[in-house]
Amino acid sequence: MLPLGAVSSRCLWKRPAHDLLRRSLSSRPSWAKAKPKVPTKNDPNVPRDKWNYNVSPLIQTSDSKHEELKMVNANALENATEPPRGVKMLVRDFIEDSLYNPNYGYFPKQATIFNTDNSTVNFESLRDSVEFQEAVGQKYAAYGADKHDGPGRQLWHTPTELFKPWFGRAIAQCLVAEYLLKYFPYEDFIIYEIGAGNGTLAMDILDYLREEYPEVYERTRYNIIEISGSLVALQKQRLSKAHPGVQVIHKSIFHWKTKEPAPCFFVAMEVIDNFAHDLVRYDLRTMEPYQGIITIDSQGDFDTVYTPVTDPLILEFLELRRRLKHPLPVNRLMQSSGPLREFYLSLPFAPNLSKEEYIPTRLLSLLRTLRNHFPRHRLLLSDFSSLPDTISGVNAPVVQTRFRNVTVPCSTLHVRQGYFDIFFPTNFERLRDMYEYIISHVPRPSSNSDPSLPMRSTPLTTNSTSMLLGDDYFSSHRPSNRRSPLDGVASASGLPVGERKSSVFTHSEFMETYADLSKTSLKNRENPMLDFYKNVKFLF
């Protein structure tokens, strides 16, 4: 196993953290500054506190005790009131338990979404982006100072809150343009949003529709799917009076079982970065994949062990990657040459496993849910395409917390459950390939399939041909085989057969298309809604 690394720090606006804070978090206790001794098994002098203690990676100390630990998953831990001990779990279950456990998870108990209440930034009065950041900093300061005896208020912001209502209105314009083009007036305007936070995006979208498209607003059904009980209460409180038609459903999207037969729009803004990932490494001798399992012993100490892949969801993702021909995180020459791998492994201190890779298995679960339960949806999704200060590994996450009003990133996933945010970047081009492949491969209807599902996408279609035309008709990863559009035959997204069902946009490209940029322009003609969030992309 790799040793735990030192903790570094940065704050929200990339200002360097105070050296004293860094030393206070990464310095070793007095016993660790003495001449190191090789620890032996059952040595009573070996400190039990391992927060700042690392056994040399050159010393083999591992044993098979992890085999005796009970295997659990995040669902089994939902009723736990404290982080578990004496257990082991897949990495995705560890992340889900850390972030979403109802009793000690990060989002239910620690996270606070930055909220400007009813105030908005007066962009036209600000000189430049420096003044804009100062204005946002003052709003952060209004939350007060953190306590000094533990993790501080886990405060984080989204573009929805920073640029309200103009960001939400851009999203609304995108959705309503598609609705008017494809479905009005024959279908209702149905929107599903997951991870709605404070409900600000829903409020801004519905306000915009009521003001600019009243005839569409009357036909709008807005549904929020929210996993956090506290946020459910907040969303209902904020939205019920202003927009009584909003329905807030307290449920995880991964537990969703209801089928929506009508055309709808599915919105996920700044959500999938917190979707749990699994950890995979490859045996460099055989190229066999191994799944990462986090172990927690009776004293609460963490470790990671690797076993041959047996989890069905990991296996499904690896098979999907093979079908899409996405490259493995191993040098191609190494993959193709057994003798070269043997030579590499013969070198001193050469690792026998590839670098850690975090794979988006929960994102795969979401795509399956969309295919199975929202067969006629159109997806609008936005999130980080890259991140700074990630831990080691391919597609690795940022693991961070706030301490004394400073955001502190860590260098390991082995952190106390509930006290740290864990979020990942997304490769949007690969996501698009995955999405189109999964949506295109519709399961064959069984004899007891739901008869309420229509065989045609809208009343506008004139051809009664079934949408189930075969897997290859919709394939986007082999353009030469793509079927040309057929009259009257539409895909699940409402597009003709053969067309791409989604496109990837940078944040600025999307805003230039749908936003009223005059509302967020500064005196010097800078536009923070275009210039900020360079590491964010959209899928639509």
Side-chain angles (χ1 to χ4, degrees), residues 28 67 77 83 89 202 298 356 366 433 440 498 519:
R28 302 171 71 185
E67 297 179 357
L77 296 173
M89 64 190 88
S298 59
E356 301 93 333
L366 173 68
D433 292 344
S440 300
K519 301 297 185 180

Side-chain angles (χ1 to χ4, degrees), residues 55 87 110 119 218 260 289 312 364 382 404 414 442 453 538:
V55 177
V87 299
Q110 298 288 342
S119 64
E218 293 299 324
E260 173 58 78
L364 175 58
S382 177
R404 298 183 183 179
H414 295 167
V442 182
L453 285 179
F538 281 80

Side-chain angles (χ1 to χ4, degrees), residues 7 28 75 83 163 293 344 394 464 474 489 499 502 539:
V7 176
R28 302 171 71 185
N75 291 336
F163 303 115
I293 295 177
Y344 175 77
V394 178
S464 61
F474 295 88
V489 180
E499 290 188 10
S502 57
L539 179 73

Side-chain angles (χ1 to χ4, degrees), residues 490-528:
S491 68
S493 65
L495 298 176
V497 174
E499 290 188 10
R500 275 196 178 275
K501 291 177 286 300
S502 57
S503 297
V504 175
F505 304 89
T506 65
H507 187 271
S508 59
E509 287 173 344
F510 187 90
M511 290 299 143
E512 286 172 342
T513 303
Y514 296 107
D516 183 355
L517 297 177
S518 66
K519 301 297 185 180
T520 55
S521 180
L522 308 180
K523 286 184 178 180
N524 68 344
R525 304 204 175 191
E526 287 182 293
N527 200 311

Side-chain angles (χ1 to χ4, degrees), residues 136-191:
V136 175
Q138 291 174 3
K139 294 181 180 294
Y140 265 82
Y143 280 85
D146 284 341
K147 58 185 180 181
H148 291 270
D149 58 347
R153 181 182 289 107
Q154 303 300 302
L155 187 64
W156 47 275
H157 67 273
T158 66
T160 300
E161 297 288 350
L162 286 186
F163 303 115
K164 80 175 186 183
W166 314 117
F167 181 88
R169 290 179 171 234
I171 301 300
Q173 182 57 43
C174 171
L175 298 177
V176 75
E178 288 293 309
Y179 169 71
L180 291 173
L181 178 65
K182 295 186 173 71
Y183 302 118
F184 182 81
Y186 298 97
E187 304 277 1
D188 285 343
F189 189 23
I190 304 174
I191 302 173

Side-chain angles (χ1 to χ4, degrees), residues 371-411:
R371 179 193 64 192
N372 296 336
H373 299 293
F374 302 88
R376 300 167 70 196
H377 76 278
R378 184 74 190 272
L379 176 62
L380 175 58
L381 182 151
S382 177
D383 228 304
F384 297 110
S385 57
S386 63
L387 288 169
D389 300 324
T390 60
I391 65 175
S392 176
V394 178
N395 197 40
V398 173
V399 182
Q400 69 179 27
T401 190
R402 274 174 61 91
F403 182 75
R404 298 183 183 179
N405 293 86
V406 175
T407 301
V408 183
C410 304
S411 59

Side-chain angles (χ1 to χ4, degrees), residues 20-34:
L20 207 58
L21 172 65
R22 183 159 49 244
R23 286 197 295 271
S24 70
L25 290 173
S26 62
S27 60
R28 302 171 71 185
S30 57
W31 54 262
K33 297 179 182 177

